[in-house]
Amino acid sequence: MSVRWGLIGASTIAKQFMINAIRAQEGGEISAVMSSSPERAKAYAAENSVPLAVSTLDDLLGAGIDAVYISTTNELHLEQAQAAIKAGKHVLCEKPLALTSADARTMVAAAKAAGIVLGTNHHLRNAGAHRTMRDAISAGRIGKPIAARVFHSVYLPENLQGWRITKPEAGGGVVLDITVHDADTLRFVLGDDPIEISAFTQSAGMAGSGLEDGAMCIWRFKSGVIAQSHEGFTTKFADTGFEVHGSEGSLIGKNVMTQKPVGTVLLRTAKGEEELSFDHEDLYVRSLRQFHAAISGKGQPSATGEDGVWSLASAEAALQSEKSGKAVAIDPKLGSAK
């Protein structure tokens, strides 16, 4: 099956990960790239061997494509996704899907009504490490899950800082950038949904314009599991990790909150310690394989539009908790606070 892609946004993530992932698929090709800057579009197309460079959405959607990958700034996602859906194009959108979960629900409803595949590019659930942890929990290897910890505070590279730390109107800040990933990864690995969150945020010197560049959150899940997460842009020397502790054992993932298929997963029980093996397939290649399969009617994207609503509703609740100083309920059908 041939799938011709249009890139909405001449982005770093597309260049570093998505272009190769699309081309790794049988029949996957990139037909066009759109940037609001014609000069940037042309330079990007030349650098990445993309045959057509355009500067308007209409030109991209009229370029004979089957699907779009949206990696523009967050405030543009809704309008661009809606236009693509209306034009009959399948949509893989970067997180967060929109600036509000209400807008994200609008995207999901539009795609469903049009029979269009909508996916959220939550890459971490494609990591072999996280799927191995999920499988171990499902198999009862740590007994009943009790608590989880996520370490996802990193240093935001200078070339990515830009709007993420200067533009609230574009959906900047660490919560919409990283907390959404932690929400999705916790949901995926635990097989459980969060119902409440308390959050503190900080501005540790990188972000301006009142935006946060660090956050710590405490989560409560439907099953009773409690979790804590640390998201940040400013910790140059921190490792990432993901731990789940149960009644009969613990899973300890080290260096696993990353775009690359790296890290280790340790199972610790009364029997001792065992390092669990997992596949090291490129996270984005796996994501694209599932998305192509979904287009052909086989299953769903690795992270659906509904998953994107959940992660965004969680981030909204975290931001509301910071403002109110109280725990906030998470309900993807209502947005954040009840």
Side-chain angles (χ1 to χ4, degrees):
M1 178 186 71
S2 173
V3 181
R4 296 161 297 180
W5 284 83
L7 305 178
I8 300 179
S11 67
T12 300
I13 187 172
K15 177 182 174 181
Q16 290 183 336
F17 297 102
M18 294 299 290
I19 290 174
N20 288 339
I22 289 169
R23 289 173 174 161
Q25 310 304 316
E26 184 176 353
E29 59 181 273
I30 300 167
S31 299
V33 59
M34 186 210 89
S35 171
S36 58
S37 163
E39 294 78 16
R40 178 171 170 79
K42 288 177 183 176
Y44 193 92
E47 183 181 359
N48 297 287
S49 302
V50 178
L52 179 64
V54 299
S55 56
T56 72
L57 193 54
D58 286 344
D59 285 345
L60 184 89
L61 296 175
I65 59 173
D66 305 302
V68 298
Y69 168 60
I70 300 175
S71 59
T72 48
T73 51
N74 299 331
E75 85 282 8
L76 301 175
H77 292 178
L78 174 65
E79 182 180 354
Q80 292 169 341
Q82 286 181 312
I85 291 166
K86 188 175 181 180
K89 314 303 180 186
H90 301 290
V91 176
L92 180 57
C93 186
E94 270 305 321
K95 55 74 214 168
L97 284 183
L99 292 184
T100 70
S101 58
D103 284 347
R105 291 196 303 274
T106 296
M107 289 169 61
V108 169
K112 186 174 182 180
I116 292 298
V117 176
L118 171 64
T120 309
N121 203 31
H122 276 307
H123 62 280
L124 288 167
R125 58 168 60 206
N126 293 290
H130 293 131
R131 288 183 285 112
T132 290
M133 292 176 73
R134 176 186 169 98
D135 291 346
I137 292 168
S138 298
R141 299 194 71 183
I142 64 167
K144 180 183 177 182
I146 295 170
R149 297 196 294 178
V150 180
F151 311 98
H152 200 174
S153 185
V154 295
Y155 188 76
L156 187 65
E158 190 172 337
N159 67 306
L160 295 180
Q161 290 177 11
W163 63 271
R164 287 177 174 84
I165 58 171
T166 60
K167 293 186 177 180
E169 68 276 12
V174 75
V175 172
L176 286 181
D177 200 63
I178 301 184
T179 305
V180 287
H181 277 313
D182 293 348
D184 186 71
T185 310
L186 281 161
R187 286 186 67 239
F188 176 76
V189 171
L190 294 171
D192 200 358
D193 291 327
I195 58 172
E196 188 178 29
I197 190 169
S198 295
F200 291 100
T201 66
Q202 69 178 168
S203 295
M206 179 184 287
S209 302
L211 286 170
E212 79 287 346
D213 52 28
M216 282 195 176
C217 306
I218 300 173
W219 311 68
R220 188 187 305 278
F221 285 77
K222 286 182 180 177
S223 68
V225 167
I226 55 175
Q228 62 187 61
S229 66
H230 178 202
E231 298 88 21
F233 287 156
T234 59
T235 52
K236 291 183 179 181
F237 307 105
D239 289 329
T240 71
F242 192 119
E243 300 176 358
V244 183
H245 305 283
S247 58
E248 305 299 328
S250 290
L251 288 162
I252 301 167
K254 294 183 177 180
N255 196 28
V256 294
M257 304 300 289
T258 170
Q259 292 169 293
K260 297 180 180 179
V262 296
T264 59
V265 175
L266 187 71
L267 172 64
R268 185 179 295 153
T269 67
K271 296 179 181 178
E273 294 185 347
E274 174 188 352
E275 185 170 328
L276 302 183
S277 61
F278 56 85
D279 75 69
H280 291 79
E281 182 180 20
D282 182 287
L283 284 65
Y284 296 93
V285 169
R286 187 178 191 278
S287 173
L288 264 293
R289 185 172 68 249
Q290 284 201 221
F291 195 88
H292 278 209
I295 289 176
S296 66
K298 301 173 184 175
Q300 294 183 317
S302 57
T304 63
E306 289 85 351
D307 291 322
V309 173
W310 262 107
S311 62
L312 182 49
S314 299
E316 282 179 323
L319 291 171
Q320 284 205 9
S321 173
E322 160 64 23
K323 289 179 181 178
S324 68
K326 300 177 181 178
V328 172
I330 300 170
D331 189 333
K333 295 183 177 65
L334 298 175
S336 46
K338 293 181 181 177

